Amino acid sequence: MASERFLVLGTHWGNVVIMDFEGNEVKKWRAHSATVNAVSIDIDNEYVASAGDDGRVVVHGLYNDDITIVDYSRPVKAVALDPHYSRKTSRRFVSGGMSGQVVMHEKRWLGKSDTIVFTSDAGPIQTIQWHGTLVAWACDEGVQIYDTVRAQRISQVARPEGSPRADLYSCRLHWRDARTLVVGWANIVQVVALKERGQTQTQQEKPTPPPSSSTDQDQASSPLLYAEISVLFRTDFIVCGLAVYRDSFLVLSHGDHEAVRNMMAGDGVPGDSQQQQQLQQRARHAQPPELRMIDWNIEEVSSDVLALEGFPLLQPNDYGLAHCATHEADSWYILSPKQLVSVRPRGLGDHVQWLSERGRYRQALGDIEDAYRNQGPWAAYRDQIKDAEYQSIGQAYAHALMDEDNPAEAAEVCARVLPRDDTSEAREAWEAWVFAFAEGNALNEIAPHIPTTGLRLSSTVYEMVLAFLLTSDVGHFRRLVFAWPTSLFNAYSVVLAIEDQIDKASEPDRVTLKECLALLYDKLNQPAKSLTYHLELFAPGILDRVLNENLFDAIRDKAQLVLRYDDHTLGLDASEAGADADAADRLRRRCEAQGAQLLTDNTDAVPCASVVKQLIRDPGHLHVYLHALLTKDPHLGAPFADLQVELYAEYNPERLLHFLRVSTYYSFDKALEICEERGLVPEMVFILGRMGDNHRALMLIIDRLRDVPRAIEFAKDQNDPELWNDLVMYARDKPEFIVGLLELGGTHTNPTTVIRSIPEALSVPGIRRALTNVLHDYHLQVELCTDCKHVLDGDCEVLSDALHRLQHQGMGVSSGQLCLACQTPLEEMPAGSRGALAFWCGHIFHDKCVLHPDVLRKTLLLDSTSPSSSTNLLSLKQRRDRRQLLRMVLSPAEQRKIVTQAKLDRTLMIRQYSPACPVCAEYDQKDAKSQSQSQSQGLNQSQQQAMGGWSPLERRDRGAPAAASSGDGAGTNPVALSTEQAASDRHDLLPPVQTLSI
């Protein structure tokens, strides 16, 4: 009997022995005086019961001195303790033997009592098994199942027909669970399922005794069960032990094949002594027992032969199989008269070892990995395989695959099993395998699996792999270069290897290698070299990178690649650079492309001369660049104007004339030569016009183009009378030119001259219409002149009215204004002065400072003849009295009238002598003198204006008068003018002088 803590054995000498699972004796006592037939252990492993041929049942406490001995006077073959024997006060156990009775022994209120549960007249009780609340036992009639809660038998499973005597082949019982019982009879295995049924179904006929107090509480809740055989199958061996492991039967078999054949044939087993002796004689030649595993589909899964000591002399009843369920794993023990064999489930380690010994590495490795993932039948044993053993098996499998010339699968196995922790052992393992693949010329298989993060190998390994792939698989080489950090290998060495290989590679591989070079140069921080390959590969966004990272120095010598990048972006072909119908639109698109704009916008970083030097052998792209430069700033391309003329003539002749007009940096002679070579007549005409050879240009238009409107337009642009004479002389015998001159000549030619130059015998088609148009134009001119005269007359009338109003307006004088001659305030009259004189030029003087004494005296006499003239001869007091008298005699209106009339008379008198402003007169004198000097020196008009007269600043600031003589009126001081116009011109329009009364 086995428990989860120890083993219990009964010996032939009546001893009960306690052993550990290693076979060491722990405890031993003598319980019987004869052979021990059966032992039993409670669920708590505290009590052990034994039954022997001495007729006694002994229950021995392992941890106390409690011993119960019950003597039944007849040999007891089987005993079973209540699983909860140590917990219940009833202390029940069931026993049976040669008496054919099953007795329930228990403690009650009145003491111990035995209850006969079952009685059979067919033979002894062979075995008893107690599980939960159910007890099963076997006798010659079959298997009985008893419910300890209801204290009644549930069902009886009859012994199969034709089975041999039970004393020769004992029945084997095993409870799989509380509702399943597995029964083994000789060569027959039955699975009995216990199912519930209703209370109304027929019960056992035998009356049941009143339930004891220990079962009284559980009876109501215990279901009524019935037995049903769910599985039954026959074997070709004798069942010596029976158990269930997971979903399979574990059967200990005895190999008496002849007896089994007789049983299957229906002969049974002979019963007389002679035949028994024959059976014993056969047993000496029996096969060793086997431990078989049979699944629920009644198929044998495995079989292990047990060469036990003395097996040829042993009978089936001499063997036993005990199940032990521990916390770690299930185990079983095979019992024979001389040996005790421990049986444990084959673990993952055993399984893997067995597979490895047979070279089945694939299955071994798969089972280990399934167990690591907690999958498969070996998941519970995953701790049995350590990492080192897993790696060893995997590497052995990889070696086997390499020997089979299967490096691809070997590489996958290495990737799975080789360690990846950063240790020297892991590094050595990986490097050894990489070199192994190198020897097998299969580095391309292991390359994707080589560790690059965490665990890093020596740089030699990575460089060796790259060198191998560079010559064998360029695509794989590219993937590794892009995936591996450059810290793993020497990037410079790889770059040199690529550059050495790139010329030998095919075109697709060359593109791939350029991608690798671009990446490596970027990682080496060499943008000048990386941009070369990026531009050759037309990498998207590379020009944006140049702008964002300010890499203009890197593209200084890559102008051609930049412009080719534009062509690729626009979808243009280099062969489309010639002149055709779409040349202008194509040129515009190419100039507006990102690359061209990049070169022209950054001429300080990418000099124009450098770009032109690079593109000199690529005239198509050079033309695009120079045109974009001209569009950006015409002065930037000045040094290359002659070259640009040739490029326009070659690729875009329709734009050459525009370039000739806007540029002034090209050579006329060279441009004329280029145009003559290509027959570009309009451009030749323009160049000749710029050179001043108008006659030759006109002849080209007439002779080559024969375009009359163009010839006339050219003559109009040049505005050269001799050119018009040449045109008239040339056109005199050419009717189309005659008609053109009459119709288009306009005012530049005299129609009469053209008509008179026509020969008399020449017929001019269209001359009538042309003359009609000339006459019509003449009438229009006459009418236009008449209308213009009417308009001018109206304007003169308006201006005259404005002048008249202006002359009758007064002039405002501020209170502090000075006389420009004497530099005293106008209010402070010098002696003999009667007022101030204001000229229309804006200059104001005292009358005494500018008028001749005779004129001044006459004006004073005029004042004396007036009603108030006598006031000049009176004293101040007399004048004051006279004014008061006039105020008393005359009304205010009459007084104002007299004063106004006196002023008007004096002003008219002064105007008769046409006095001149001294300041303006001095300016006119200086201006006339400067003009005479400039004419004698031959100066141009602008120089004359610069030297003549006073400047506006001088005229404004001039204020210091010269010493003016009041006696003769000569030598007046110059004063700043208020206007740029000469005083003499103002005198012709306005009255020269106006008197002011201060």
Side-chain angles (χ1 to χ4, degrees), residues 732-736 738-739 758-767:
R732 61 185 179 180
D733 58 348
K734 297 176 178 59
E736 65 273 12
I738 293 174
V739 175
I758 301 174
E760 295 181 357
L762 181 65
S763 175
V764 181
I767 187 68

Side-chain angles (χ1 to χ4, degrees), residues 51-86:
D53 283 344
D54 58 358
R56 297 196 308 169
V57 175
V58 179
V59 180
H60 192 283
L62 298 179
Y63 306 104
N64 53 41
D65 297 332
D66 186 7
I67 299 177
T68 301
I69 302 175
V70 180
D71 190 352
Y72 291 104
S73 302
R74 296 189 68 179
V76 180
K77 298 295 185 181
V79 66
L81 285 177
D82 185 348
H84 301 286
Y85 183 87
S86 62

Side-chain angles (χ1 to χ4, degrees), residues 593-604:
Q594 188 178 10
Q597 293 297 315
L598 184 70
L599 295 176
T600 56
D601 289 343
N602 300 276
T603 53
D604 51 345

Side-chain angles (χ1 to χ4, degrees), residues 169-174 182-190 239 242:
Y169 304 103
S170 299
C171 180
R172 310 293 178 167
L173 299 179
H174 175 75
V182 182
V183 182
W185 289 99
N187 66 327
I188 298 174
V189 177
Q190 298 173 323
V239 178
L242 191 63

Side-chain angles (χ1 to χ4, degrees), residues 425-679:
E425 293 80 5
R427 191 175 298 107
E428 292 174 359
W430 271 103
E431 291 179 357
W433 271 105
V434 172
F435 284 109
F437 276 89
E439 292 177 1
N441 199 27
L443 280 175
N444 57 315
E445 303 294 344
I446 193 63
H449 308 293
I450 296 177
T452 57
T453 57
L455 173 63
R456 293 195 176 188
L457 311 182
S458 64
S459 60
T460 304
V461 173
Y462 298 105
E463 293 172 9
M464 178 180 65
V465 173
L466 292 176
F468 175 82
L469 295 177
L470 178 60
T471 57
S472 61
D473 191 347
V474 176
H476 196 175
F477 172 81
R478 178 190 179 278
R479 290 193 294 272
L480 293 186
V481 169
F482 274 74
W484 285 359
T486 52
S487 58
L488 298 177
F489 53 88
N490 189 336
Y492 289 100
S493 301
V494 177
V495 166
L496 293 177
I498 296 175
E499 291 178 345
D500 182 63
Q501 183 70 21
I502 194 170
D503 295 332
K504 307 174 186 177
S506 61
E507 184 60 31
D509 289 346
R510 189 178 294 115
V511 173
T512 302
L513 294 178
K514 287 181 180 180
E515 294 177 355
C516 297
L517 285 174
L519 174 70
L520 291 175
Y521 277 126
D522 280 335
K523 292 184 177 181
L524 292 173
N525 196 22
Q526 296 184 13
K529 294 183 178 180
S530 69
L531 284 177
T532 300
Y533 296 105
H534 283 305
L535 291 172
E536 290 180 358
L537 297 170
F538 308 115
I542 189 62
L543 296 182
D544 293 330
R545 176 186 170 189
V546 173
L547 288 173
N548 297 334
E549 300 181 13
N550 195 19
L551 299 177
F552 299 108
D553 292 339
I555 64 167
R556 188 190 298 270
D557 57 344
K558 300 174 179 62
Q560 188 175 14
L561 293 177
V562 171
L563 295 178
R564 287 180 180 176
Y565 183 90
D566 284 345
D567 292 345
H568 180 270
T569 304
L570 297 174
L572 300 177
D573 190 0
S575 61
E576 300 178 0
D580 53 25
D582 298 330
D585 179 68
R586 188 165 56 250
L587 178 62
R588 177 188 60 79
R589 292 169 56 200
R590 297 174 75 182
C591 291
E592 293 175 355
Q594 188 178 10
Q597 293 297 315
L598 184 70
L599 295 176
T600 56
D601 289 343
N602 300 276
T603 53
D604 51 345
V606 187
C608 302
S610 175
V611 176
V612 172
K613 184 177 179 181
Q614 298 173 53
L615 300 177
I616 197 67
R617 296 186 179 181
D618 188 359
H621 287 131
L622 180 59
H623 172 54
V624 173
Y625 173 74
L626 291 178
H627 181 72
L629 207 62
L630 176 69
T631 306
K632 186 71 62 176
D633 186 353
H635 303 290
L636 293 176
F640 321 107
D642 294 336
L643 180 60
Q644 203 163 359
V645 172
E646 185 174 358
L647 293 172
Y648 274 117
E650 177 68 23
Y651 295 101
N652 291 95
E654 68 279 0
R655 301 189 66 89
L656 177 58
L657 185 58
H658 172 74
F659 173 74
L660 297 174
R661 293 180 186 275
V662 300
S663 178
T664 59
Y665 301 104
Y666 56 89
S667 171
F668 293 154
D669 295 335
K670 189 172 183 179
L672 182 62
E673 181 182 355
I674 294 172
C675 294
E676 286 178 347
E677 291 177 356
R678 291 169 171 78

Side-chain angles (χ1 to χ4, degrees), residues 230-305:
S230 59
V231 177
L232 186 148
F233 62 92
R234 293 179 179 271
T235 66
D236 57 353
F237 51 80
I238 303 299
V239 178
C240 300
L242 191 63
V244 177
Y245 175 61
R246 295 183 179 173
D247 294 333
S248 301
F249 298 101
L250 194 63
V251 181
L252 179 63
S253 65
H254 185 270
D256 193 349
H257 302 294
E258 185 176 351
V260 173
R261 284 195 298 270
N262 293 332
M263 286 185 284
M264 296 182 67
D267 296 340
V269 179
D272 55 27
S273 59
Q274 182 179 1
Q275 291 179 345
Q276 290 182 8
Q277 291 177 0
Q278 295 176 359
L279 184 62
Q280 291 177 359
Q281 184 67 26
R282 266 198 329 267
R284 293 186 177 93
H285 305 286
Q287 298 295 323
E290 297 182 29
L291 186 63
R292 303 172 185 266
M293 182 174 288
I294 302 173
D295 61 16
W296 287 93
N297 295 324
I298 322 302
E299 294 181 0
E300 186 174 300
V301 178
S302 64
S303 176
D304 294 310
V305 178

Side-chain angles (χ1 to χ4, degrees), residues 40-48 59 80-94 105-106 130-135 148-149 178 214 218:
S40 178
I41 309 171
D42 70 336
I43 197 172
D44 296 322
N45 300 313
E46 294 184 6
Y47 289 88
V48 176
V59 180
L81 285 177
D82 185 348
H84 301 286
Y85 183 87
S86 62
R87 303 178 188 178
K88 296 182 178 180
T89 59
S90 61
R91 304 291 184 175
R92 295 185 298 174
F93 63 84
V94 178
H105 179 84
E106 61 181 331
W130 192 333
H131 183 82
T133 62
L134 301 178
V135 179
T148 59
V149 175
S214 61
D218 298 331

Side-chain angles (χ1 to χ4, degrees), residues 952-966:
L953 183 62
E954 291 176 332
R955 293 165 62 187
R956 184 174 64 250
D957 297 340
R958 186 174 178 84
S965 174
S966 60

